[in-house]
Amino acid sequence: MNRKVAGASVTVVMSVSLLAACSGNSGTPEGDKAAGEAGKTKAVPKIYIYQNTGQLNQKPEGSVPAKLEEMKKMYVDKLGIEPVAIVPPQGGDASSQKLNLLLGSSSDEVDTFQANWDDLAPKGAIIPLNDLLDKYGQDIKKAWNDKAWEYMKDKDGKIWGIPRGEPAVHYPIWVRTDWLQKLNLKMPQTLDELEAVLKAFKEQDPDGNGKDDTIPMMTDLNGIKNALMGGFTEFGNSNWIDPADKKMKPPELAPGFKDYVAKLADWYQKGYLYKESFSKFDPTELLKTNRVGMSSMWYSRITLLFPQIKPNLPADANYEIIRGIQGPKGKLMTATAGNTASMVITKKAKHPEAVMKFINYQYQDIPTNHLTAAFGTNWGYVGDSKFDVELKSKDIEYAGEFMVSLGTATELKYAFKDPVKKMHADYLTKEALNTSVAKMPVDANILYDKQKLDENIPTLGDINRLRSEELVKFVTGARPLSDFDKYIDQLYKAGLDKWIAEYTRQYNEKKK
């Protein structure tokens, strides 16, 4: 504590005591009570927010200190709660390591952050929220639908987190429409047409730099699975029930999966897929090169990044979603099922009720309080609208460290007119929840018990590693497709029979 501040506090307390001693009531019960109450100061509870929601993407290093203090004072004045922001180090691994240190330390404070609650609840790191929601979270409860809340509950009905989302479409294929026009190509509607566009982008120099360096498609492992697999397998990137034995099986065993792998391997060898897709690369820097024809990565790799760099690209540069495209087995995309990603409250929290009150405030008067938490005073409604919003300045001073209400319940309630934000907002409000354009996973409504999966499938980690690593090997040519049957044998030797048995048991137990 600052010594000057401490000294001033002591002086105030001593002055109050002297005044009480000189008063006419000194020594009486009434005088003693008045003196005691006068000497008390109302404590303002502090809550510690680890800001790992992704909100800081606009300014990873955090706010200008003066602006952060201004926001903190606003919450102290309005709620009688002092939020304290913890800005994670940049990089997913570093952020996770920092969070683990905070959770494991006996001294450091951390009260709320984003996590998959079912990873933490069995470890005793977080607390159930039912009572807190009933007492202090009425606006939160109203904001989310029953479907979203189902993913927050364990088998006993305990609620462990505040939802972040619900089933949605996250991996569309975006295409440079200015390149289509330049090469006199139409928007592809079949896999064959898509391949023809990839070939043209690769060979016909649509970026006009005179070099054979065009990247037809920027992708990653999740992107090629969720954006493309549905065109080859009946259920897309999903577990499925084998009609032959009524058992739950992974997509690797589905008819058509080998064809899917063969097509990707062919595209990779022809240079249609970015060569570094399955290692670490910076999508922003890649987009800046003006060489990327398509993207099948997480939607925000285009909606957030492209508008930021568009001023440095040709004036007609534009990405649009390929809609309605079909493969031999129908829709290419697979929707992302609901999940356990949520805002949680730690067992370490000294004031869990204050944490819940703070979060609940952001769900009051949606989207106003949510937007203020995200952008401070640097935003406003357009005209009389309560939906269209704009940023007042492009200079970000407050980065959103106190934002704890991210998700479809809040982010679909407004749209930015700002050209840098509009593309992202339009996707969220018009595209994300339209799951009819994609295949829904067979077990989308099943919340598997991760603890039981680990207990009953001792080699689960090995199986998951094989499923990701070997797929990459097949696609990149590091392993020949003639080894595919050997790969399936590897999965069984790694314990796939136990995987099938446990997933089938839980599916049958939990399906409604």
Side-chain angles (χ1 to χ4, degrees):
M1 179 181 287
N2 183 292
R3 292 189 179 186
K4 187 177 291 186
V5 173
S9 300
V10 172
T11 302
V12 170
V13 173
M14 288 179 66
S15 299
V16 170
S17 300
L18 287 171
L19 286 170
C22 294
S23 70
N25 289 330
S26 179
T28 67
E30 291 80 4
D32 291 342
K33 182 179 179 181
E37 290 179 349
K40 292 180 180 177
T41 57
K42 187 177 180 181
V44 175
K46 288 185 179 181
I47 63 169
Y48 294 81
I49 301 166
Y50 191 76
Q51 186 45 262
N52 66 337
T53 66
Q55 171 63 24
L56 297 183
N57 285 340
Q58 58 182 336
K59 193 176 174 67
E61 70 277 15
S63 300
V64 173
K67 274 293 177 182
L68 190 64
E69 285 301 311
E70 182 181 301
M71 288 295 295
K72 180 185 293 187
K73 184 178 185 304
M74 181 200 78
Y75 285 118
V76 171
D77 292 344
K78 284 181 177 291
L79 304 177
I81 297 168
E82 180 183 345
V84 179
I86 305 171
V87 176
Q90 296 181 39
D93 291 342
S95 177
S96 297
Q97 290 169 7
K98 171 72 172 177
L99 179 57
N100 288 334
L101 288 173
L102 290 172
L103 289 171
S105 169
S106 60
S107 57
D108 292 326
E109 301 286 350
V110 58
D111 294 339
T112 186
F113 56 91
Q114 180 180 283
N116 292 99
W117 67 259
D118 51 341
D119 290 334
L120 296 171
K123 300 174 183 176
I126 58 176
I127 60 174
L129 306 180
N130 301 63
D131 291 343
L132 289 170
L133 283 164
D134 288 342
K135 292 179 182 177
Y136 310 110
Q138 291 301 319
D139 296 289
I140 300 172
K141 291 175 70 174
K142 288 187 294 185
W144 290 100
N145 60 34
D146 291 342
K147 185 187 296 184
W149 283 115
E150 282 303 309
Y151 289 99
M152 299 296 105
K153 297 177 183 177
D154 65 15
K155 65 182 187 309
D156 299 320
K158 289 181 180 177
I159 297 172
W160 292 93
I162 295 167
R164 173 75 189 259
E166 52 193 295
V169 179
H170 291 130
Y171 292 92
I173 301 176
W174 300 86
V175 63
R176 279 284 293 266
T177 50
D178 57 312
W179 287 8
L180 290 179
Q181 186 175 3
K182 181 177 181 179
L183 301 180
N184 198 27
L185 298 168
K186 67 177 184 178
M187 187 72 80
Q189 292 299 294
T190 68
L191 271 172
D192 287 343
E193 291 175 359
L194 179 66
E195 184 167 351
V197 171
L198 292 169
K199 185 175 188 293
F201 283 0
K202 175 64 179 172
E203 298 177 355
Q204 297 184 35
D205 191 27
D207 59 335
N209 68 353
K211 299 178 181 179
D212 180 18
D213 63 352
T214 308
I215 298 166
M217 182 177 286
M218 175 179 78
T219 189
D220 57 14
L221 187 58
N222 286 327
I224 62 169
K225 290 193 293 186
N226 289 293
L228 294 163
M229 196 187 299
F232 298 86
T233 67
E234 183 178 355
F235 304 106
N237 184 29
S238 168
N239 298 328
W240 60 291
I241 301 295
D242 189 339
D245 56 15
K246 310 299 183 188
K247 292 182 179 179
M248 176 70 73
K249 295 180 180 177
E252 286 82 355
L253 301 187
F257 185 86
K258 185 176 179 181
D259 296 334
Y260 155 75
V261 177
K263 179 60 73 176
L264 294 178
D266 181 54
W267 285 359
Y268 188 87
Q269 293 306 316
K270 290 176 177 175
Y272 298 167
L273 303 181
Y274 180 49
K275 291 296 184 182
E276 304 301 321
S277 286
F278 311 112
S279 57
K280 289 186 177 180
F281 69 93
D282 188 331
T284 305
E285 293 304 313
L286 196 60
L287 289 169
K288 284 180 180 178
T289 66
N290 189 42
R291 294 186 295 132
V292 178
M294 296 187 199
S295 172
S296 65
M297 299 180 74
W298 184 268
Y299 70 97
S300 65
R301 296 301 179 267
I302 295 296
T303 62
L304 285 178
L305 302 182
F306 172 63
Q308 295 178 35
I309 64 170
K310 183 176 170 64
N312 299 316
L313 298 181
D316 60 349
N318 190 43
Y319 286 96
E320 292 183 18
I321 296 170
I322 301 176
R323 292 182 173 83
I325 189 168
Q326 299 273 316
K329 293 290 180 143
K331 302 169 184 174
L332 264 63
M333 286 191 294
T334 306
T336 305
N339 56 56
T340 58
S342 54
M343 291 300 299
V344 298
I345 298 179
T346 70
K347 192 174 181 179
K348 295 178 70 171
K350 294 178 180 178
H351 305 286
E353 72 291 338
V355 178
M356 185 61 72
K357 287 179 182 178
F358 186 85
I359 298 174
N360 188 73
Y361 177 74
Q362 294 186 20
Y363 283 91
Q364 294 173 4
D365 192 18
I366 296 173
T368 299
N369 291 358
H370 162 84
L371 286 163
T372 299
F375 305 106
T377 58
N378 188 34
W379 72 277
Y381 289 112
V382 178
D384 296 328
S385 173
K386 282 281 283 187
F387 183 80
D388 295 325
V389 301
E390 60 186 356
L391 293 181
K392 297 177 181 178
S393 171
K394 293 182 180 180
D395 295 327
I396 305 298
E397 293 186 309
Y398 167 66
E401 285 91 336
F402 301 138
M403 159 58 70
V404 287
S405 56
L406 281 165
T408 53
T410 52
E411 291 181 273
L412 300 191
K413 305 301 183 184
Y414 63 93
F416 274 98
K417 288 301 181 184
D418 183 296
V420 175
K421 298 286 186 181
K422 187 178 186 304
M423 192 177 193
H424 185 66
D426 283 350
Y427 188 87
L428 289 174
T429 56
K430 299 173 184 177
E431 310 283 352
L433 297 186
N434 181 18
T435 56
S436 66
V437 302
K439 294 181 175 179
M440 185 60 67
V442 170
D443 50 358
N445 296 319
I446 303 299
L447 186 59
Y448 291 103
D449 185 329
K450 290 183 180 179
Q451 195 168 5
K452 290 294 183 184
L453 291 175
D454 287 335
E455 290 174 3
N456 296 325
I457 315 171
T459 56
L460 182 59
D462 294 332
I463 294 171
N464 290 338
R465 177 181 52 78
L466 279 171
R467 292 177 65 190
S468 60
E469 290 182 358
E470 299 308 305
L471 175 58
V472 170
K473 290 179 183 178
F474 282 124
V475 173
T476 60
R479 186 172 186 179
L481 196 60
S482 58
D483 270 3
F484 188 79
D485 290 342
K486 291 180 181 178
Y487 163 58
I488 299 301
D489 288 340
Q490 272 184 282
L491 289 174
Y492 275 105
K493 287 177 182 177
L496 189 60
D497 279 330
K498 290 184 178 179
W499 187 104
I500 292 170
E502 180 60 19
Y503 271 88
T504 302
R505 183 191 70 78
Q506 288 200 34
Y507 175 81
N508 289 331
E509 180 183 275
K510 297 170 182 287
K511 70 179 179 180
K512 297 178 182 178

